[in-house]
Amino acid sequence: GNVSLGIGLEHQSNGRSQLLSRSWNRVYTEFIFEKDDFIMALRPWYRLKEDEKLTPLATEGDDNPDIADYMGNFELTLGYHWNKFEFTAMARQNFSTNNGALQLDVTYPLWGRLLGYAQYFNGYGESLIDYDHRQQKIGLGIALTNYF
């Protein structure tokens, strides 16, 4: 199998301002193991804290100081390629708040190189704007590439 290790700094933002602004910065390490048709990626992170906002409308300061309570401290992704199907499962968790998310994905052939895509999501952080609202969603669409 193949093993890789990566480190990085990530900024994620929804690009909105003031009361609708959501963003966070984090440093992470990523461990990836791949063998044959299986892949596993573990990505623990540490959220870089920002100064508190003086007022809710202030442009400087932390837009969402509790985001790690919902988005967790790590992400584990497992993937398996079987025949022409790819299955992936992603889990995030914060053990101190017991909040997290589970996402299941499958890609499948439709026509030529075009892939169908189905997704199930349950938990927190499906989007940044409502990271602190538990959601359950099912989605269908097309995929331009496979996961691996």
Side-chain angles (χ1 to χ4, degrees):
N2 297 314
V3 176
S4 67
L5 171 66
I7 58 172
L9 173 65
E10 182 175 21
H11 170 76
Q12 187 177 14
S13 173
N14 69 346
R16 306 293 294 267
S17 61
Q18 297 182 346
L19 295 176
L20 296 177
S21 177
R22 306 287 186 271
S23 66
W24 63 325
N25 299 306
R26 55 190 168 161
V27 293
Y28 67 87
T29 302
E30 187 167 39
F31 308 94
I32 301 173
F33 173 75
E34 175 188 20
K35 183 169 171 105
D36 299 326
D37 293 327
F38 174 77
I39 189 168
M40 178 186 76
L42 176 63
R43 179 187 251 206
W45 57 72
Y46 174 77
R47 180 174 189 246
L48 300 173
K49 296 183 181 180
E50 300 174 54
D51 294 334
E52 261 186 66
K53 281 191 174 233
L54 298 176
T55 68
L57 296 177
T59 57
E60 298 293 319
D62 199 342
D63 293 322
N64 33 259
D66 63 344
I67 193 167
D69 293 345
Y70 297 93
M71 296 292 281
N73 309 104
F74 74 94
E75 186 172 284
L76 174 65
T77 303
L78 304 173
Y80 188 74
H81 182 91
W82 175 73
N83 201 355
K84 295 184 178 186
F85 293 79
E86 282 194 4
F87 302 92
T88 59
M90 179 280 298
R92 284 193 307 260
Q93 185 68 31
N94 182 320
F95 291 110
S96 63
T97 62
N98 205 27
N99 292 327
L102 174 67
Q103 180 175 307
L104 305 173
D105 303 295
V106 61
T107 60
Y108 47 91
L110 283 179
W111 177 68
R113 299 185 79 193
L114 188 63
L115 300 171
Y117 179 73
Q119 180 184 81
Y120 170 75
F121 181 89
N122 188 332
Y124 294 93
E126 197 269 335
S127 70
L128 273 183
I129 193 69
D130 53 7
Y131 70 89
D132 55 352
H133 292 88
R134 185 174 195 88
Q135 297 187 34
Q136 181 170 247
K137 293 185 175 185
I138 295 175
L140 296 172
I142 60 168
L144 301 178
T145 64
N146 284 327
Y147 189 79
F148 59 98

